Amino acid sequence: MTEHNDTRHRVVVIGGGYAGTLAANHLRMRAGVGITLVNPRPDFVERMRLHQFVAGTADATVGYDRLLGDGIQLVVDSAMRIDTAARVVLLASGRTLKYDYVLYAVGSTAAIPSSVRGAAEFAHPIAEFESARRLRARLDELPVGAPVTVVGGGLTGVETAAELAEQGRTVTLVCGGILVSSWSAPGRRYAAKWLSRHGVTVLEADVVTEVRPDAIVLADGTTRSSAVTVWATGFGVPELAAASGLRTDTLGRLLTDETLTSIDDDRVVAAGDAAAPSGRPLRMSCQAAGPLGVQAADTVLSRIAGTEPAAIDQALTGSCVSLGRHTAMRQLARRDDTAVNIYIGGRLGAAIKELTCKVAVSRIRREAREPGSVGWVKGGRRLRQPASVAPVGTSQ
């Protein structure tokens, strides 16, 4: 069944996360644009709160009826392929959606390496709502004193370990390298001290080589008891771009020019975690995704208007990590996202972190009410080394 849209310009937004939802609302700046948002879930997921959801300290979903502006059609389904020749999006249900432009905002997923024996079978990823829900159910089955292992010393791993430790869980954090390597040394020391004070065992240099139902095995052969193992080592992306014959980088992000337009098809524009402008993607984060969504929507509107799209202009200025419910740390950075030796911790850091989470959702609502109202920090620079390019049609 093919869905027909009687408006002149049909835009299908694939993905209803921070980038896609902002993009859909921003497209309403021009009359005569039919906007369809395709998302596999009926609710928006606040990914920044998934560690709280797992620990039972917060919900992590918001109804799209509270976030999308008038006239946007929500289709709860999964995109399986973009047929760029026929200009249709094929959905898992068998339906198809015709388009004039696709805004590709599929986001990111968990990345569990096949090289770690048992990880795919027994580890619990936390990058998506469904896996977080399964992890929460598993934790609810366990006594509070059961040993929990969090694998991954980045922001997600630290937040998850801290949240569970504050709930009285016995937590081990296996970093596989430097704790939060993107931070300054003072920032890392601050986080390490908090984790130590709250009973988290931090194994900074150790690497997990095997996950068992009730244990983990480290590279040196040591076996440690683990009633549940949380996997938080990084992100992958969906394979939709490669499955659609569009070129990607080695991780699977859609390769675009500096206007976020696919290098293969100017009817496909990307935003968020799954976009690799000039092969030099921004850090996967809500901070990057929202503004990229707005800029991608501007590119689509420029092409509809017959004007030259603008190159992206965006800066990242640091990161926040919560350390339980009463403390957090804001690591400051230059506009190219390199950390400086300044951070804000304690209750003020917690207030900043909570405000960051609330603003991420409130600006989507604001854009729904007033398209064009969202701003962001500009003037940033990205890494100059281009990412490797995957062959056309190769899934990652």
Side-chain angles (χ1 to χ4, degrees), residues 75-377:
V75 174
V76 181
D77 210 330
S78 296
M80 303 304 292
R81 187 165 66 88
I82 304 167
D83 186 335
T84 56
R87 291 186 192 166
V88 295
V89 176
L90 288 73
L91 304 179
S93 65
R95 298 167 65 187
T96 60
L97 297 172
K98 290 186 175 182
Y99 70 83
D100 295 304
Y101 293 92
V102 161
L103 204 151
Y104 186 85
V106 297
S108 55
T109 61
I112 299 182
S114 58
S115 59
V116 180
R117 186 166 50 182
E121 294 83 2
F122 304 121
H124 292 262
I126 194 174
E128 298 176 87
F129 180 71
E130 290 77 13
S131 55
R133 184 167 54 193
R134 288 191 292 270
L135 174 56
R136 177 170 174 168
R138 175 62 180 142
L139 287 168
D140 287 345
E141 296 171 351
L142 297 174
V144 172
V148 176
T149 302
V150 178
V151 182
L155 302 182
T156 302
V158 170
E159 286 196 318
T160 304
E163 200 77 24
L164 294 175
E166 195 173 72
Q167 297 301 305
R169 298 281 179 182
T170 303
V171 181
T172 297
L173 177 63
V174 184
C175 300
I178 298 172
L179 178 71
V180 197
S181 60
S182 61
W183 280 359
S184 66
R188 290 196 297 271
R189 286 195 294 269
Y190 183 87
K193 287 178 181 178
W194 190 98
L195 292 168
S196 177
R197 286 199 308 269
H198 289 79
V200 178
T201 299
V202 178
L203 305 179
E204 194 163 9
D206 290 281
V207 175
V208 174
T209 58
E210 182 181 355
V211 179
R212 299 173 181 172
D214 57 357
I216 59 165
V217 181
L218 302 178
D220 63 2
T222 302
T223 299
R224 297 181 65 95
S225 178
S226 180
V228 61
T229 300
V230 183
W231 203 268
T233 60
F235 298 103
V237 297
E239 298 180 352
L240 177 60
S244 303
L246 299 168
R247 276 178 287 181
T248 67
D249 68 6
T250 54
L251 191 64
R253 290 171 290 216
L254 181 66
L255 286 171
T256 75
D257 63 16
E258 286 296 293
T259 73
L260 298 173
T261 303
S262 165
I263 62 174
D264 298 308
D265 191 321
D266 63 8
R267 297 278 178 161
V268 180
V269 179
D273 290 353
S278 302
R280 294 178 287 135
L282 284 77
R283 172 166 53 86
M284 290 185 178
S285 62
C286 169
Q287 182 182 175
L292 283 173
V294 173
Q295 291 173 95
D298 279 336
T299 290
V300 171
L301 294 175
S302 292
R303 295 196 179 280
I304 290 173
T307 58
E308 188 67 24
I312 58 172
D313 184 4
Q314 186 168 341
L316 301 181
T317 57
S319 55
C320 274
V321 63
S322 61
L323 298 168
R325 291 298 84 221
H326 308 292
T327 303
M329 206 197 88
R330 167 69 173 170
Q331 171 65 66
L332 301 183
R334 300 180 182 91
R335 293 194 178 200
D336 63 358
D337 205 26
T338 56
V340 298
N341 289 329
I342 303 173
Y343 67 87
I344 302 169
R347 290 187 177 273
L348 179 56
I352 293 172
K353 170 66 175 180
E354 181 61 21
L355 179 63
T356 299
C357 293
K358 289 180 177 178
V359 166
V361 175
S362 67
R363 67 179 178 177
I364 297 173
R365 292 195 182 103
R366 186 167 68 251
E367 192 71 11
R369 295 191 303 268
E370 303 174 53
S373 62
V374 170
W376 61 92
V377 181

